[in-house]
Amino acid sequence: MDRTRLHALLARESAEAERLSPRSRDAYARADHLFGRVPMTWMNKTAGAFPRYLAEARGARVTDIDGHTYIDFCLGDTGAMAGHSPAPVAEAVHRRYAELGGATAMLPTEDAEWVGAELTRRFGLARWSFSLTATDANRWAIRLARAVTGRPKILVNSYCYHGSVDESLIVTGPDGTGVPRPGNVGAPCEVTLTSRVAEFNDLAGLERELAHGDVAAVLMEPALTNIGIVLPEPGYLAGVRELTRRYGALLVNDETHTFSAGPGGCTAAWELAPDLLTIGKAIGGGIPAGAYGLSAELAERLLARTDLDLVDMGGVGGTLAGNALSVAATRATLEHVLTDKAFDRMSRLAERFEAGVRAGVEAHGLPWSVTRLGARTEYRFTAPAPRTGTESAAASDPELEDFLHLYLANRGILLTPFHNMALMCPDTSEQDVDTHTEVFAAALAELAG
Ligand SMILES: Cc1ncc(COP(=O)(O)O)c(C=O)c1O
């Protein structure tokens, strides 16, 4: 990679982004009352000097306030995997909120049991409870795991992401044991007091940590998705299940992103048998919704514990969790939008996307890898594909990533801002994918000079 050339290309694309987006630039410059000028600080994680401001979004398209319409492969970093505002969800939300009324009345609706049964059909877990975010689903799953096992620690994979969950902000240090993840904001205590860590795909490391006998649960994605996609090697997930059972730790599958693997996520696709499963983002079709599922046996053990305050202020619950609006949106999403048929199509589109990227990479002889998990595709600047989160983190190249993101955005294509992830939704078309292939190839040709 000619870094001087890359630097010049990035400067050119940054200037072009400013030229194309005067209204977004001005809105950002005026946002004096927002912490970091954005509604949420991570919105500053964008290639270029300011984010493009949203005007409208429908299906696989986003339009910004400067009037540019983009093919959206970011899809709210999975929150909009159902596409933006799909009609059945829009109708269900309108009906619940405007016609029937009562978004949040502290009373259950019958939709909740429908959703619980559907989640059981898809993921296998027998009992469900709701949250508004995947972060909260994880927090509550962790509390339940600690309560039922009486053990203090949570084990995660290095460079995982499970939301802003304190226990998860740990990575492996040089000797393979845990150290705080760099940049962790305001940790309540030294993370090694609450957590253990092992590399993904490393059963020996996992066993070494579990052997301490203090791990309540292993919280993991069946494939890492937040440091690029890192797929499990043959036998790894079976080994995790066997070791967690052997050492008395529960297994929590976080399917928030790996839901892209199919209608029942990796858990169904790969016949996994976790004790708990957490999910959020896409299931509400863009309306905040999350859920956690428990095995029947675990649910019974917990409900039998009279010392646990599960109904008041015992630490598991949020006032708006399971509200009628979120549950109605989730039902509509699962019943009509993210259907088995939709997943088939989305996966085929992702295959096409993957083939397009691979062709570009091969044409230029780049040492990059391309990976896919159902409807989600990702490329990393290293080959072969990384086996662990730490290996994948080491392959980061922020300048190159910014150039590619800006080059694509300036030509009407959005990727997720955090890495090179592209996700398909039911409204994505083959033409959308082919447009990406062409623009991506043009970006590589510019890099090659
Ligand atoms: C695997 C996983 N779990 C949990 C979360 C947290 O989701 P949220 O920010 O909606 O709480 C994320 C967010 O990216 C995620 O990727």
Side-chain angles (χ1 to χ4, degrees):
M1 183 73 46
D2 176 345
R3 300 309 295 197
T4 314
R5 180 169 185 81
L6 171 60
H7 205 66
L9 284 171
L10 178 56
R12 186 193 76 190
E13 292 302 319
S14 299
E16 178 65 355
E18 293 231 24
R19 190 190 69 75
L20 286 170
S21 311
R23 289 191 60 187
S24 290
R25 188 198 54 213
D26 291 353
Y28 187 69
R30 279 197 311 272
D32 291 332
H33 296 90
L34 301 178
F35 180 43
R37 299 197 168 277
V38 278
M40 181 64 219
T41 46
W42 57 252
M43 288 187 191
N44 278 324
K45 173 86 178 150
T46 182
F50 53 88
R52 288 161 212 237
Y53 275 55
L54 172 70
E56 288 175 35
R58 290 270 176 275
R61 292 287 183 284
V62 161
T63 303
D64 69 15
I65 61 171
D66 286 285
H68 306 299
T69 295
Y70 303 85
I71 303 170
D72 187 12
F73 291 110
C74 166
L75 294 170
D77 191 19
T78 310
M81 189 168 75
H84 294 287
S85 301
V89 183
E91 279 158 29
V93 166
H94 180 78
R95 183 172 151 73
R96 181 70 261 175
Y97 195 85
E99 289 176 20
L100 298 172
T104 178
M106 280 197 130
L107 296 172
T109 54
E110 290 171 310
D111 283 339
E113 170 56 19
W114 189 96
V115 172
E118 176 63 7
L119 292 172
T120 297
R121 183 187 77 78
R122 289 179 181 232
F123 295 100
L125 285 293
R127 305 279 183 269
W128 291 86
S129 194
F130 298 102
S131 62
L132 290 184
T133 64
T135 299
D136 271 347
N138 283 326
R139 287 193 180 125
W140 300 338
I142 284 173
R143 279 180 171 269
L144 295 173
R146 284 198 175 115
V148 87
T149 61
R151 294 177 172 190
K153 291 194 178 171
I154 302 302
L155 190 149
V156 295
N157 292 128
S158 198
Y159 287 96
C160 66
Y161 187 70
H162 297 285
S164 46
V165 172
D166 291 320
E167 290 84 347
S168 65
L169 293 162
I170 184 168
V171 293
T172 49
D175 68 353
T177 60
V179 296
R181 185 164 177 155
N184 184 0
V185 182
C189 63
E190 163 72 36
V191 71
T192 50
L193 294 176
T194 63
S195 308
R196 292 192 175 277
V197 64
E199 293 290 353
F200 195 78
N201 278 324
D202 176 13
L203 288 174
L206 177 65
E207 178 159 20
R208 187 191 61 226
E209 296 297 314
L210 287 177
H212 291 275
D214 55 4
V215 172
V218 172
L219 169 63
M220 67 183 292
E221 294 187 283
L224 297 182
T225 65
N226 284 294
I227 190 78
I229 296 173
V230 181
L231 293 173
E233 291 176 340
Y236 171 62
L237 295 176
V240 171
R241 184 63 280 196
E242 199 275 312
L243 287 174
T244 45
R245 285 206 175 108
R246 193 187 320 158
Y247 289 97
L250 297 174
L251 177 60
V252 187
N253 276 4
D254 181 345
E255 288 272 15
T256 304
H257 277 185
T258 50
F259 189 23
S260 67
C266 292
T267 296
W270 300 339
E271 299 178 356
L272 307 176
D275 303 293
L276 291 129
L277 187 147
T278 55
I279 191 162
K281 296 199 183 187
I283 59 168
I287 298 291
Y292 60 91
L294 311 91
S295 66
E297 184 260 14
L298 188 59
E300 268 158 43
R301 274 169 66 198
L302 282 160
L303 291 172
R305 286 274 299 273
T306 49
D307 61 317
L308 300 179
D309 178 2
L310 288 167
V311 296
D312 200 352
M313 298 191 202
V316 181
T319 314
L320 296 184
N323 76 78
L325 186 69
S326 295
V327 174
T330 305
R331 177 176 181 161
T333 304
L334 297 178
E335 192 169 7
H336 302 296
V337 189
L338 289 177
T339 57
D340 296 12
K341 203 166 141 211
F343 272 101
D344 276 353
R345 195 173 159 273
M346 287 150 63
S347 287
R348 268 185 275 117
L349 286 167
E351 260 175 56
R352 190 180 181 101
F353 191 101
E354 181 187 14
V357 171
R358 184 162 285 128
V361 166
E362 282 172 5
H364 291 279
L366 292 166
W368 299 2
S369 49
V370 198
T371 314
R372 186 175 68 86
L373 185 67
R376 174 190 308 275
T377 304
E378 172 100 33
Y379 50 93
R380 297 297 285 170
F381 307 125
T382 185
R387 293 178 55 252
T388 68
T390 301
E391 277 177 25
S392 198
S396 300
D397 187 333
E399 195 179 26
L400 179 54
E401 206 166 280
D402 278 2
F403 163 69
L404 288 164
H405 283 235
L406 271 183
Y407 189 94
L408 292 167
N410 290 343
R411 289 153 188 82
I413 297 173
L414 296 181
L415 296 186
T416 189
F418 299 105
H419 31 106
N420 305 310
M421 191 277 287
L423 186 63
M424 311 297 134
C425 75
D427 301 288
T428 310
S429 69
E430 291 188 350
Q431 184 55 56
D432 294 343
V433 171
D434 295 347
T435 301
H436 172 270
T437 303
E438 273 164 40
V439 177
F440 178 71
L444 295 190
E446 293 237 30
L447 277 172

